Structures are given as structure tokens and as C-alpha cells.
């Protein structure tokens, strides 16, 4: 069975505990369940990883190289800072979707820049956690 890797970056474990006006009230577990279900609807498996540590995320991306056909990633704040995360994603060469719960284009100026924007095959921002399902469907449609 074909498989996607779901990556959630730093601080996303706080979902549902603070800033509901920006991120809603759902938890990271809700996000993972929703994403697994969206993949299963298309007949795909999904493996989820979350870490607050950049190197752990990079190791998970490297390990997915021969096991997965694509990656759905919300890098959290690393979106705006991390060349090494970009290098890991381009390095493994898997097509990936960049997803953000909030509308990063309508927030602070520093959130408008993404190190992944020009290499992501799919970008979803501002749809709340439903955006993960959108990203899964659009990525699978591209690579199936
Ligand atoms: O909108 C998104 O999904 C973000 O990737 C979330 C990141 C932020 O740095 C990006 O600019 C946009 C922040 C993740 C932290 O999430 C929290 C959730 C609840 C409470 C505190 C943090």
C-alpha cells in the first residue's frame, strides 16, 4: 500500500491549549486522525511524526525516503527559518505538501516568507485543520 509521511513541527503539540482564535480548539491528535482518515479514503497509509526538535524531523524525513511516496508537512515556525529542513525535503526528493492552519499571508510580515514555498508541490494555508485533509487529497491526486 502506498504511504505518506505526516510531519508536524515545533509547538504544534500545543494545539487546542492556547490561541484558539488563531489555531482553533482541535488537538494534534485530532489533526493526525483527520489526516490518516483523509489518506485512507484514497486507499493510502499515513505515518505521523511530531517533534519540537529540528534534527528529529530531519531524521524522520530521511527515513521516509524508501518507505513513503510523499510528505505532508506543517513545519511550524521552522517554515520561516530553516534552510536545513528545506535541504532535507529536497534531499530525499519526495513530493511534499506544505500546510498551515492559519493564513500565514495575513499575519505578521515574518510569516509571509517560507523556505519551502518554491519547492512544495502543494501549499494550503488558512483552512484550519481541515487544510490537512485538503493537502492530503491534493498531494495524492498529483502523485497517484
Ligand atoms: O499556521 C500554522 O500552521 C503555522 O505553521 C503554525 C506555527 C507558526 O509559527 C507558523 O507561522 C504558522 C506555530 C505553531 C504553534 O502552534 C501553537 C498552537 C497553539 C498554541 C500555541 C502554538
Amino acid at each position: 500500500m502506498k504511504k505518506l509521511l505526516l510531519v508536524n513541527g515545533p509547538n504544534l503539540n500545543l494545539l487546542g491549549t492556547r490561541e484558539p482564535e488563531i489555531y482553533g480548539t482541535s488537538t494534534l491528535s485530532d489533526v493526525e486522525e483527520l489526516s490518516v482518515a483523509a489518506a485512507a479514503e484514497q486507499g493510502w497509509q499515513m505515518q505521523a511524526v511530531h517533534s519540537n526538535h529540528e534534527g528529529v524531523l530531519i531524521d524522520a524525513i530521511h527515513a521516509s525516503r524508501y518507505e513513503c511516496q510523499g510528505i505532508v508537512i506543517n513545519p511550524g515556525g521552522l517554515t520561516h527559518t530553516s534552510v536545513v529542513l528545506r535541504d532535507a525535503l529536497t534531499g530525499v526528493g519526495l513530493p511534499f505538501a506544505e500546510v498551515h492552519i492559519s493564513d500565514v499571508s495575513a499575519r505578521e510580515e515574518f510569516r509571509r516568507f517560507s523556505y519551502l514555498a518554491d519547492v512544495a508541490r502543494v501549499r494550503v494555508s488558512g483552512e484550519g485543520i481541515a487544510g490537512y485533509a485538503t493537502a492530503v487529497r491534493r498531494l495524492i491526486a498529483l502523485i497517484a
Side-chain angles (χ1 to χ4, degrees):
M1 197 184 251
K2 291 188 175 178
K3 191 166 160 186
L4 295 178
L5 178 69
L6 173 66
V7 179
N8 278 294
N11 299 309
L12 285 158
N13 55 306
L14 296 178
L15 275 178
T17 68
R18 287 183 54 237
E19 303 191 69
E21 66 288 359
I22 299 175
Y23 298 114
T25 54
S26 300
T27 64
L28 180 60
S29 294
D30 295 331
V31 165
E32 292 179 346
E33 279 173 29
L34 169 158
S35 304
V36 168
E41 274 171 22
Q42 311 291 320
W44 283 55
Q45 282 186 329
M46 177 168 258
Q47 180 185 330
V49 60
H50 161 265
S51 180
N52 290 321
H53 305 279
E54 198 171 30
V56 174
L57 300 176
I58 288 164
D59 286 344
I61 289 166
H62 289 179
S64 74
R65 185 174 188 173
Y66 300 113
E67 303 207 341
C68 296
Q69 286 70 45
I71 298 173
V72 174
I73 182 165
N74 183 345
L78 293 174
T79 306
H80 320 295
T81 65
S82 183
V83 174
V84 293
L85 188 61
R86 176 196 171 99
D87 287 346
L89 288 161
T90 57
V92 299
L94 292 175
F96 73 90
E98 174 186 355
V99 54
H100 300 286
I101 296 166
S102 63
D103 179 359
V104 286
S105 70
R107 297 181 62 191
E108 301 96 327
E109 184 69 35
F110 67 85
R111 295 189 202 274
R112 294 197 185 160
F113 176 76
S114 164
Y115 274 100
L116 306 186
D118 64 316
V119 284
R121 298 286 300 277
V122 171
R123 295 192 79 215
V124 180
S125 179
E127 292 188 15
I129 71 161
Y132 284 83
T134 304
V136 166
R137 289 191 203 105
R138 286 179 53 195
L139 185 64
I140 289 176
L142 267 178
I143 64 183

